[in-house]
Amino acid sequence: MSSRRVVVTGASSGIGAATVRAFRGEGWDVVAVARREDRLRDLADETGAEYVVADLTKQDDVDGLRDHLAATGGVHALVNNAGGAHGLDSVESSSVDDWVWMYEINVIGTKRVLSALLPLLRQGAAETGHADIAVVTSIAGLTAYVGGGGYNAAKFAEHALTEVLRLELNGEPIRVVEIAPGMVATEEFSLVRFGGDQAKRDAVYEDVPEPLSAEDVAETIVHALTLPRHVDLDLIVVKPVAQAAPYRLHKGPLAVKGAKG
């Protein structure tokens, strides 16, 4: 596997950083991509991954990422993980700026990276027989919920983009895998959503039995991309057992109904 090179976006924390660690653990060459160089440098020192500092909402940065990859060994797999949410306000009262930010990073950023790297992925597929694209979306892109607003809209769009991409690439040896996580307790996702309010962030996960970890999702991504090349897991929905839907979350211990202690 050391001959395969994977690019992981949104790699400075959470699912992205865990995915870098997981692929390195499997012997892959990994290029970690994010805006925060200090985080990337620490991750590279820890894992031996390469890194590229890039803001995926800026075309010049994405073009620079493409040029670096082309000059240093190409790419055989892409994990498009960068994304995020702002706010839980209603459609009526939510900030247009928040919606624009969510659309830029979740949808347009994904499109920029795919357009830039697909030629390199095709070259990688010609070298090794196949290439892989994994897009990390969310169950928010499959099911609407009160307070979802702009995040639902952005993730539904990213889900649609991924499905169209799979249709467009039909006939080529390139897998397109969508991973749609439910509740994942990472250090930053909800903190960013609530504008840095730590108390609101902590309340999301309070008394929830075993929400997913970033490592759980990373393991799912690596599993999907290390299956035999003819096996394509089109859509993987991964949630904690306590979460039946975005709007139905059990709090407190899980227990068998009617069981007697």
Side-chain angles (χ1 to χ4, degrees):
M1 275 301 181
S2 60
S3 63
R4 298 204 76 206
R5 192 185 197 201
V6 59
V7 175
V8 180
T9 70
S12 60
S13 66
I15 293 170
T19 302
V20 170
R21 295 185 182 100
F23 273 113
R24 287 296 296 147
E26 293 291 322
W28 288 54
D29 296 331
V30 181
V31 182
V33 180
R35 292 178 296 107
R36 293 176 291 185
E37 185 170 9
D38 57 337
R39 295 284 193 99
L40 290 176
R41 188 184 306 114
D42 290 345
L43 185 62
D45 289 344
E46 174 195 341
T47 63
E50 305 172 64
Y51 71 86
V52 173
V53 178
D55 181 343
L56 303 185
T57 67
K58 296 180 179 178
Q59 189 63 48
D60 286 347
D61 282 14
V62 175
D63 291 344
L65 170 64
R66 176 202 61 209
D67 294 346
H68 170 81
L69 293 169
T72 57
V75 59
H76 307 96
L78 166 67
V79 178
N80 201 107
N81 166 72
H86 273 181
L88 274 171
D89 295 327
S90 69
V91 172
E92 178 184 13
S93 63
S94 54
S95 162
V96 169
D97 289 341
D98 284 348
W99 282 56
V100 170
W101 181 86
M102 285 186 279
Y103 207 85
E104 278 284 341
I105 188 57
N106 291 289
V107 186
I108 304 302
T110 299
K111 184 268 188 291
R112 288 184 196 275
V113 172
L114 287 168
S115 292
L117 298 195
L118 259 171
L120 298 181
L121 286 162
R122 287 190 169 102
Q123 292 175 18
E127 294 168 2
T128 64
H130 77 291
D132 295 299
I133 297 169
V135 181
V136 181
T137 59
S138 169
I139 59 172
L142 306 173
T143 306
Y145 58 90
V146 173
Y151 190 57
N152 279 141
K155 285 300 186 182
F156 265 81
E158 190 179 24
H159 165 68
L161 178 159
T162 305
E163 290 209 327
V164 172
L165 179 68
R166 189 180 298 111
L167 296 173
E168 292 172 347
L169 296 181
N170 183 242
E172 299 188 57
I174 302 175
R175 291 188 291 199
V176 178
V177 178
E178 178 180 355
I179 297 92
M183 175 177 277
V184 185
T186 62
E187 67 270 27
E188 290 193 339
F189 178 83
S190 290
L191 197 63
V192 170
R193 187 168 205 169
F194 294 118
D197 190 319
Q198 187 69 46
K200 286 185 177 180
R201 180 267 177 203
D202 293 345
V204 171
Y205 309 106
E206 185 178 359
D207 208 25
V208 176
E210 296 184 290
L212 296 178
S213 67
E215 290 71 23
D216 293 329
V217 181
E219 182 178 348
T220 303
I221 294 168
V222 172
H223 171 71
L225 269 57
T226 53
L227 286 170
R229 66 182 64 183
H230 67 285
V231 179
D232 189 356
L233 299 182
D234 281 6
L235 172 61
I236 307 169
V237 177
V238 52
K239 308 190 306 298
V241 174
Q243 186 179 38
Y247 47 80
R248 188 163 181 82
L249 178 67
H250 178 80
K251 296 214 171 188
L254 301 176
V256 176
K257 289 184 179 179
K260 296 181 180 179

